[in-house]
């Protein structure tokens, strides 16, 4: 047998465009103009950039651009190239496109390393083929693809889901795998937390009580328990997935944060330390591809890279919309039941529908709802992970996908109906804490917008696709209709939303269905509507927030700070934190300044363990954090470090109350006051119909941000209102006549209320409760006088007057409310509550001032 002739190195074509045109097996004739512009620009100006982001709208051929650049570099430089996709489904899709459409030779790698084809591995190692795999194959404790020269990250906006998780210990009470660890950590933290907060963490309370609770373990407490935490994780993570993450974090707990929410614990560094992952950090080139890269340094924060250069989008494609969407907002005109019936009828109008939900729990509820109302076959993310063929071939099918904002596409006629139940505003406890507790939503606003844009684009993947997008959840509806958000969107999307809102207002079910059918038929009515959208878009402009420049300018220092913290260089970390603070100047970034003052304090606090001169610097930074934002946990830390509270500080109970009011308002909806007014009516109804008095009292307490409950248990109190430090427990005798007499039996009932609460609501055991009797009576039996000692009697007419004033205040606050993370609104809310005697402290003082127990006429 003659020796095979040795293959000579192929001639390196001068640019990626020539390379693509030379591929003999490609099934598309040529690249489009936008692809050509990007490929030529990359070869001429950007091929030597170590970190480069390329943004191309959906439908403009982003995957082809990335694969052709990968192939060109592989041939030109004899480099090993790894092309990363978020999911296995996208790996299969990309490999199929590359080999069968573009005429390239790429190898797909999914599943266990031991199952990889040896020949495919050899082709990759020798630089003869591009490897296509998932992010998880690179971002783990022992990556198989550890020696790539070039990394191309497709759908780069999704990296948070795969990169940060590599350094995130997530422990939940509901998981069998982590339940024991959760209980052990709760035991460790019990000495560092109040009974109230510990009950919140253990999730041993009603959802209404724990609503919105999210905390950070302060640095002094973390240092105090880090040895015990390490012991627990050393011992109990061995047989779980936590073992791999813990192996990366062990020894670096002091540079991490421990976040807590009901039933959840998250331990992670602020920015993922990708510099410690050699497979990622030692590649010579990293290219980030996305249709929505975001702004303000978000990509740098997600990837841990100090500077990522952006390639300008091709002319005419900068932020351009894709396809045409018809937005429908059912709850703009219909009530809950009518909207649900409409959704089922919309689904039955099409062969296939796609629904995005925020959680697995909601996905299950939606699956039952759709199947029962339509009889359609349900497909989950797992069902279509490898292939969508079964779904696409089914003429009566619905794909119910939990938490999927990207990665699975349904173009053309695969689905022309997209229902979005809701999208999580935050995807982890760090985001929740910074957004809700610090009011730092500005940091994540662009990230949320990216998720939204990805979600609404699942069914419009090219410029000729058309899709109806039904916004089902009220909070998501309010998000879309927010006037400030809309200004940040591309004019075409603004116009689509404006058109959808107008068509969804003041219309009944049949009207919405008629419009939907016109859209599906693409008839003359729809063509005229589409032209109206285009004309509206021509008159609109996109206005990006001015604070994005501050966020972009400081991101390099944020990452330098994180790098120094990771290697325990606290002195330099402190200096970089000061650099960050010097660049956060815009008013919208007040909450973020508080966070970075705290971070600077952490670095100084850790440095003070070996250099006492840093102790004062730590104190000053914690003081600055408290001044910048009313943060309860900073106040506690300051007290522990012997700080004196500022006279302008809001008490923790007041901020607790204001945030609960904000959460309540958000749940009731921002677009209109329909649900808020209904709750107000229920309160007012109970003031006149005394059979509903206690229910009214509970409802008012909820609106005022108190923990407000009632119990039907024997010997239980009437309703009680509480914040973390103080509370009122009521004994209602509202149905009595003014001529009635308060008996010893009735008066005595109130005495046991505090004991009942301690025994049945342990999270409130530290609350200082005041007993208040609400009654119209003015006379009391002699034997009852000792029983009401220490209690207040609130005359019913005075109580009703106060309730009406409280509702007036709540109406004003609701009128100015926009979002939960508005620090200015929260400050105004606290000021208003104080001035109207609606904080718990002021309320108890007010009740004391009108207390009529000593003026009761004693009888007998």
């Amino acid at each position: 047998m003659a020796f095979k002739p040795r293959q000579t190195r192929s001639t390196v074509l001068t640019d990626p465009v020539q390379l693509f045109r030379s591929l003999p097996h490609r099934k598309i004739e040529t690249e489009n103009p936008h692809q050509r512009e990007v490929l030529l620009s990359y070869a001429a100006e950007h091929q030597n950039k170590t970190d480069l982001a390329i943004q191309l709208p959906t439908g403009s051929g982003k995957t082809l651009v990335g694969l052709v650049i990968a192939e060109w570099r592989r041939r030109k430089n004899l480099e090993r190239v790894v092309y990363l996709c978020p999911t296995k489904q996208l790996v299969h899709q990309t490999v199929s496109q590359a080999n069968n459409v573009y005429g390239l030779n790429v190898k797909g790698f999914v599943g266990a390393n031991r199952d990889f084809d040896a020949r495919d591995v050899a082709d990759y190692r020798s630089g003869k083929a591009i490897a296509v795999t998932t992010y998880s194959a690179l971002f783990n404790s022992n990556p198989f693809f550890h020696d790539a020269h070039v990394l191309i990250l497709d759908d780069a906006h999704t990296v948070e889901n795969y990169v940060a998780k590599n350094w995130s210990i997530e422990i939940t009470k509901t998981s069998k795998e982590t339940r024991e660890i959760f209980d052990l950590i709760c035991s460790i933290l019990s000495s560092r937390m109040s009974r109230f907060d510990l009950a919140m963490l253990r999730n041993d309370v009603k959802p209404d009580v724990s609503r919105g609770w999210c905390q950070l373990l302060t640095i002094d407490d973390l240092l105090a328990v880090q040895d015990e935490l390490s012991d627990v994780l050393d011992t109990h993570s061995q047989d779980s997935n936590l073992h791999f993450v813990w192996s990366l974090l062990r020894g670096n707990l002091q540079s991490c944060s421990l976040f807590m929410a009901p039933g959840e614990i998250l331990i992670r560094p602020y920015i993922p330390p990708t510099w410690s992952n050699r497979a990622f950090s030692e590649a010579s080139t990293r290219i980030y591809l996305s249709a929505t890269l975001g702004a303000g340094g978000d990509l740098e924060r997600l990837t841990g890279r100090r500077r990522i250069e952006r390639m300008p989008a091709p002319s005419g494609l900068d932020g351009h919309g894709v396809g045409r969407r018809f937005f429908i907002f059912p709850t703009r005109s219909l009530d809950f039941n009518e909207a649900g019936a409409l959704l089922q009828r919309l689904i039955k109008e099409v062969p296939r529908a796609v629904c995005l939900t925020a959680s697995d729990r909601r996905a299950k509820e939606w699956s039952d709802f759709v199947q029962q109302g339509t009889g359609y076959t349900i497909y989950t993310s797992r069902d279509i992970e490898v292939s969508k063929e079964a779904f696409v071939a089914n003429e009566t099918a619905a794909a119910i996908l939990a938490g999927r904002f990207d990665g699975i596409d349904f173009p053309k006629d695969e689905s022309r109906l997209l229902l979005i139940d809701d999208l999580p505003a935050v995807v982890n406890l760090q985001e929740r804490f910074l957004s809700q507790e610090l009011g730092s939503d500005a940091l994540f606003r662009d990230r949320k917008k990216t998720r939204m844009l990805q979600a609404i684009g699942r069914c419009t993947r090219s410029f000729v696709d058309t899709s109806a997008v039904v916004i089902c959840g009220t909070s998501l509806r309010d998000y879309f209709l927010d006037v400030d958000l809309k200004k940040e969107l591309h004019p075409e999307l603004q116009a689509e939303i404006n058109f959808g809102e107008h068509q969804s207002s003041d219309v009944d079910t049949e009207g919405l269905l008629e419009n939907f059918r016109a859209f599906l038929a693409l008839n003359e009515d729809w063509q005229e509507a589409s032209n109206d959208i285009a004309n509206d878009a021509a008159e609109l402009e996109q206005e990006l927030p001015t604070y994005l420049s501050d966020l972009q300018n400081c991101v390099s220092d944020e990452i330098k700070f994180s790098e120094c913290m990771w290697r325990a260089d606290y002195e330099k970390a402190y200096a970089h934190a000061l650099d960050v603070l010097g660049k956060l100047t815009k008013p919208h970034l007040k909450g973020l300044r508080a966070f970075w003052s705290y971070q600077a304090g952490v670095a100084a606090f850790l440095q003070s363990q070996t250099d006492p001169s840093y102790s004062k610097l730590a104190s000053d930074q914690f003081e600055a954090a408290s001044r910048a934002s009313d943060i309860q946990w900073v106040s506690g830390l300051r007290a522990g470090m012997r700080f004196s509270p500022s006279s302008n500080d809001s008490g923790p109970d007041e901020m607790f109350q204001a945030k609960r009011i904000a959460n309540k308002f958000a749940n009731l909806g921002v677009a209109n006051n329909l649900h808020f007014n209904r709750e107000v009516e229920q309160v007012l109804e109970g003031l006149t119909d005394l059979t509903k008095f206690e229910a009214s009292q509970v409802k008012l307490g909820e609106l005022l941000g108190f923990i407000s409950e009632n119990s039907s248990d024997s010997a239980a109190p009437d309703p009680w209102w509480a914040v973390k430090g103080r509370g009122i427990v009521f004994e209602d005798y509202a149905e009595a006549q003014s001529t009635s007499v308060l008996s010893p039996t009735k008066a005595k009932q109130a005495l046991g209320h505090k004991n009942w609460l301690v025994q049945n609501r342990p999270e409130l055991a530290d609350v200082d409760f005041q007993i208040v009797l609400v009654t119209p009576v003015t006379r009391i039996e002699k034997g009852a006088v000792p029983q009401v000692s220490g209690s207040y009697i609130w005359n019913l007419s005075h109580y009703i007057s106060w309730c009406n004033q409280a509702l007036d205040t709540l109406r004003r606050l609701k009128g100015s409310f926009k979002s939960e993370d508005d620090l200015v609104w929260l400050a105004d809310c606290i000021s208003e509550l104080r001035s109207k005697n609606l904080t718990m402290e002021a309320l108890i003082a007010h009740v004391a001032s009108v207390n009529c127990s000593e003026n009761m006429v004693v009888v007998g």
Side-chain angles (χ1 to χ4, degrees), residues 467-493:
S467 166
V469 181
V470 184
I471 306 301
C472 307
T474 55
S475 62
L476 188 62
R477 177 203 64 194
D478 292 342
Y479 176 77
F480 271 91
L481 301 184
D482 181 274
V483 292
D484 294 325
L485 169 75
K486 281 195 288 187
K487 292 176 183 177
E488 300 175 22
L489 304 176
H490 186 272
E492 196 162 346
L493 180 52

Side-chain angles (χ1 to χ4, degrees), residues 67 70-71 74 83 91 94-100 103-109 120 128-132:
L67 287 170
E71 181 70 5
R74 182 188 72 78
Y83 190 101
V91 171
T94 301
V95 170
S96 176
Q97 278 185 300
N99 292 333
N100 302 326
L104 297 168
N105 178 29
V106 308
K107 307 297 182 182
F109 297 89
D120 292 348
K128 294 179 180 177
I130 300 166
V132 181

Side-chain angles (χ1 to χ4, degrees), residues 683 686-687 690 693-701 704 719 721 730 732 734 772-775 794-806 843 846-847 850:
V683 174
L687 298 180
L690 297 182
F693 186 81
E694 292 185 10
S696 166
Q697 215 167 38
V698 172
K699 187 70 68 178
L700 178 58
L704 286 169
W721 296 346
F730 290 100
D732 292 331
V772 175
L773 287 81
V774 179
T775 181
W794 199 353
N795 181 269
L796 178 62
S797 63
H798 290 168
Y799 169 80
I800 291 174
S801 176
W802 177 88
C803 288
N804 281 291
Q805 293 173 13
L843 172 56
H846 173 71
V847 176
V850 298

